[in-house]
């Protein structure tokens, strides 16, 4: 009798070791499924990059800057007279930015990417020209080559032909490169001699209408003594980001509205400078605005689900082992392995269905299919349908918990 008990214990201990080994062995197909998920994530990222290149990337715009070239004569220590060329940069006194984002979904295969078209109105004013402390002779300012520069990080996505409006004049913007190195690229509106004659000694107000495409994000640079920004959209899940959070905001199922009011006190840039003083300023670091937040996608959810695979497979194996002990069944390790592979197929089906049906529907369909497969096999292996139904109940609890 003692010998019989010892043999049963040795047999059970050996079976437990075998089951542990099979659980470790199942990590191989699960690792392969995770590789498939990563590959599909990379495909989704490539689709996003393709649409971003064609539609427009994350956008950052800045308040207009007045840029005036100048030339002065410098006398060296040897008495030589040299002409110095430079640029004077002036920020606006006040800027108001009102943006309305219209969002839509664009598709590459099974992948959907949210994009937006923003209708932006920029109003503001420049103060009276003041060059005190800069060492510039105002008589040497070359107003004929003066421009107003507007920072736009991805100017390819401008949908309209923007113009600078002031008084009864309209000046069309054109490509301008990087007039200020620490900011996004700029488009420029040449002012010309007629502007100099009328405004070189006074202030002037301006307005700009901009239609801009983009993805993911719209940020604004506070390039004025006072910058007021309002953004609204029907997108239901915004994420307010950047250096400043909105003073007021409203978010509901119909979209969001948010507003900011920023002064120049926390800004790295001064209100005026000459071009040899701008090298170390991090102007772009002051940007703020909104991201079009996308809730956790199907690939992230599928990856999270695979992290519970060992729990699923292990508890299923424990259930089969308990039937062996209690009912006196003898199951082959290969039968355990087949059940483990059926559990692994659940994650592969979850990934495949979720790309077309969404995660919730895919999860339910995959759980039913996997449980049905294991139930059919269990009814033959365990000898009774009631035992198979008990295994299905265990799986239902596990899937419901996950």
């Amino acid at each position: 009798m003692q010998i019989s008990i010892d043999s049963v214990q040795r047999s059970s201990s050996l079976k437990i070791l075998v089951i542990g080994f099979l659980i470790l062995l199942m990590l191989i197909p699960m690792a392969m499924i995770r590789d498939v998920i990563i590959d599909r994530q990379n495909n989704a990222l490539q689709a996003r990059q393709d649409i971003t290149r064609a539609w427009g990337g994350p956008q950052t715009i800045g308040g207009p800057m007045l840029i005036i070239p100048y030339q002065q004569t410098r006398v060296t220590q040897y008495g030589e007279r040299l002409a110095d060329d430079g640029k004077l940069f002036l920020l606006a006194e006040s800027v108001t930015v009102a943006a309305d984002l219209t969002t839509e979904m664009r598709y590459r295969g099974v992948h959907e990417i949210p994009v937006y078209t923003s209708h932006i109105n920029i109003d503001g004013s420049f103060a009276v020209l003041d060059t005190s402390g800069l060492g510039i002779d105002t008589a040497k300012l070359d107003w004929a080559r003066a421009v107003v520069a507007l920072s736009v990080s991805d100017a390819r996505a401008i949908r309209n032909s923007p113009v600078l409006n002031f008084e009864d004049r309209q000046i069309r913007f054109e490509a301008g490169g990087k007039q200020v190195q620490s900011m996004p690229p700029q488009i420029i509106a040449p002012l010309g001699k007629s502007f100099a004659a009328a405004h070189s000694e006074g202030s002037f107000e301006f307005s700009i209408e901009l239609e801009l495409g983009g993805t993911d994000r719209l940020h604004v640079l506070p390039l004025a003594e006072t910058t007021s920004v309002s953004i609204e959209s029907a997108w239901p899940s915004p994420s307010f980001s950047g250096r400043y959070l909105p003073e007021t905001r409203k978010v509901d199922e119909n979209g969001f509205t948010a507003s900011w009011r920023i002064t120049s006190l926390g800004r790295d840039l001064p209100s005026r400078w000459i071009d040899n003083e701008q090298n170390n300023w991090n102007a772009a670091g002051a940007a703020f605005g909104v991201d079009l937040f996308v809730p956790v996608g199907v690939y992230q959810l599928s990856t999270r689900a695979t992290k519970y695979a060992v729990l699923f497979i292990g508890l299923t194996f424990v259930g089969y082992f308990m039937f062996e002990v209690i009912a006196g069944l003898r199951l082959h390790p290969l039968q355990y392995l087949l059940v483990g592979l059926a559990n692994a197929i659940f994650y592969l089906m979850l990934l495949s269905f979720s790309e077309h049906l969404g995660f919730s529907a895919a999860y339910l369909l995959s759980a039913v299919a996997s449980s049905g497969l294991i139930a059919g096999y269990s009814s033959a292996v365990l000898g009774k349908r009631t035992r198979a139904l008990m295994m299905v109940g265990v799986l239902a609890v596990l899937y419901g918990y996950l």
Side-chain angles (χ1 to χ4, degrees):
M1 187 67 169
Q2 182 65 34
I3 296 176
S4 176
I5 295 176
D6 291 341
S7 63
V8 170
Q9 289 177 341
R10 285 195 296 269
S11 177
S12 298
S13 299
L14 179 60
K15 200 57 172 288
I16 291 173
L17 291 176
V18 171
I19 291 174
F21 173 75
L22 292 176
I23 293 175
L24 294 177
L25 190 63
M26 286 302 304
L27 294 178
I28 297 176
M30 290 310 305
M32 297 172 66
I33 292 174
R34 289 193 185 96
D35 288 340
V36 174
I37 296 175
I38 292 173
D39 181 64
R40 299 302 298 166
Q41 282 180 313
N42 291 335
N43 289 341
L45 179 60
Q46 183 62 49
R48 174 178 288 275
Q49 291 173 345
D50 290 343
I51 290 179
T52 297
R53 282 193 293 266
W55 184 267
Q59 295 286 8
T60 300
I61 63 172
M65 299 174 291
L66 180 59
I67 305 175
I68 312 169
Y70 66 88
Q71 186 178 78
Q72 291 196 147
T73 301
R74 176 171 57 88
V75 179
T76 68
Q77 59 181 341
Y78 303 105
E80 297 176 325
R81 300 177 65 84
L82 301 177
D84 283 340
D85 293 323
K87 292 179 180 178
L88 171 62
F89 298 83
L90 301 172
L91 300 185
E93 181 70 18
S94 64
V95 168
T96 300
V97 179
D100 183 5
L101 275 61
T102 303
T103 59
E104 59 181 294
M105 303 301 293
R106 293 284 168 153
Y107 296 87
R108 275 290 188 275
V110 299
H111 307 294
E112 61 178 20
I113 291 89
V115 300
Y116 66 81
T117 300
S118 57
H119 303 273
I120 305 172
N121 293 314
I122 304 174
D123 301 290
S125 63
F126 284 97
V128 176
L129 177 63
D130 180 12
T131 60
S132 59
L134 297 177
I136 299 176
D137 183 358
T138 55
K140 300 295 184 179
L141 296 176
D142 188 357
W143 285 96
R145 294 190 293 142
V147 299
V148 169
L150 180 69
S151 295
V152 181
S153 58
D154 190 358
R156 298 178 303 109
I158 296 177
R159 304 287 188 255
N160 64 338
S161 297
V163 297
L164 175 70
N165 300 286
F166 64 95
E167 295 181 352
D168 58 347
R169 296 191 58 194
Q170 290 187 333
I171 302 176
R172 192 175 303 278
F173 280 93
E174 58 189 45
K178 273 209 168 188
Q179 303 288 331
V180 182
Q181 295 303 315
S182 60
M183 296 183 189
Q186 294 98 43
I187 56 176
I188 60 173
L191 296 178
K193 292 183 178 180
S194 58
F195 173 87
H199 299 89
S200 60
E201 297 297 332
S203 61
F204 73 95
E205 297 181 350
F206 63 85
S207 66
I208 303 167
E209 292 186 6
L210 192 63
E211 187 173 327
L212 188 63
T215 57
D216 295 332
R217 180 176 69 242
L218 176 64
H219 275 188
V220 178
L221 288 173
L223 302 181
E225 292 302 304
T226 302
T227 302
S228 300
V229 177
S230 63
I231 302 177
E232 64 179 48
S233 174
W235 187 259
S237 55
S239 175
F240 303 108
S241 58
R243 178 171 290 186
Y244 306 97
L245 292 177
E247 286 187 346
T248 61
R249 64 176 183 173
K250 178 183 178 183
V251 182
D252 55 31
E253 65 277 4
N254 298 319
F256 72 90
T257 59
S259 61
W260 294 257
R261 183 176 175 83
I262 310 300
T263 66
S264 62
L265 298 178
R267 188 185 63 206
D268 294 338
L269 287 172
S271 59
R272 54 196 174 89
W273 72 93
I274 54 179
D275 53 357
N276 61 356
E277 298 177 343
Q278 60 173 309
N279 297 329
N280 298 322
W281 295 334
N282 182 24
F288 63 91
V290 65
D291 295 358
L292 301 183
F293 176 73
V294 179
V296 178
V298 295
Y299 302 115
Q300 292 91 333
L301 291 171
S302 297
T303 300
R304 292 178 182 179
T306 60
K307 295 179 179 179
Y308 294 88
V310 173
L311 174 65
F312 272 58
I313 295 171
L315 290 179
T316 305
F317 284 1
V318 168
Y320 271 76
F321 177 70
M322 293 303 296
F323 280 118
E324 283 198 73
V325 173
I326 297 173
L329 299 176
R330 300 296 294 175
L331 300 179
H332 194 276
L334 182 60
Q335 293 173 313
Y336 280 88
L337 195 60
L338 290 175
V339 173
L341 290 174
N343 272 326
I345 289 175
F346 161 77
Y347 299 99
L348 199 57
M349 289 190 295
L350 177 62
L351 172 64
S352 301
F353 291 146
S354 63
E355 290 183 319
H356 300 275
L357 305 177
F359 187 81
S360 297
Y363 189 91
L364 178 61
L365 182 60
S366 302
V368 171
S370 178
S371 299
L373 178 62
I374 295 176
Y377 184 70
S378 298
S379 64
V381 172
L382 299 179
K384 293 183 179 180
R385 290 185 178 180
T386 54
R387 296 170 182 170
L389 291 176
M390 291 175 65
M391 287 304 305
V392 171
V394 171
L395 290 173
V397 171
L398 289 175
Y399 287 129
Y401 173 74
L402 179 60

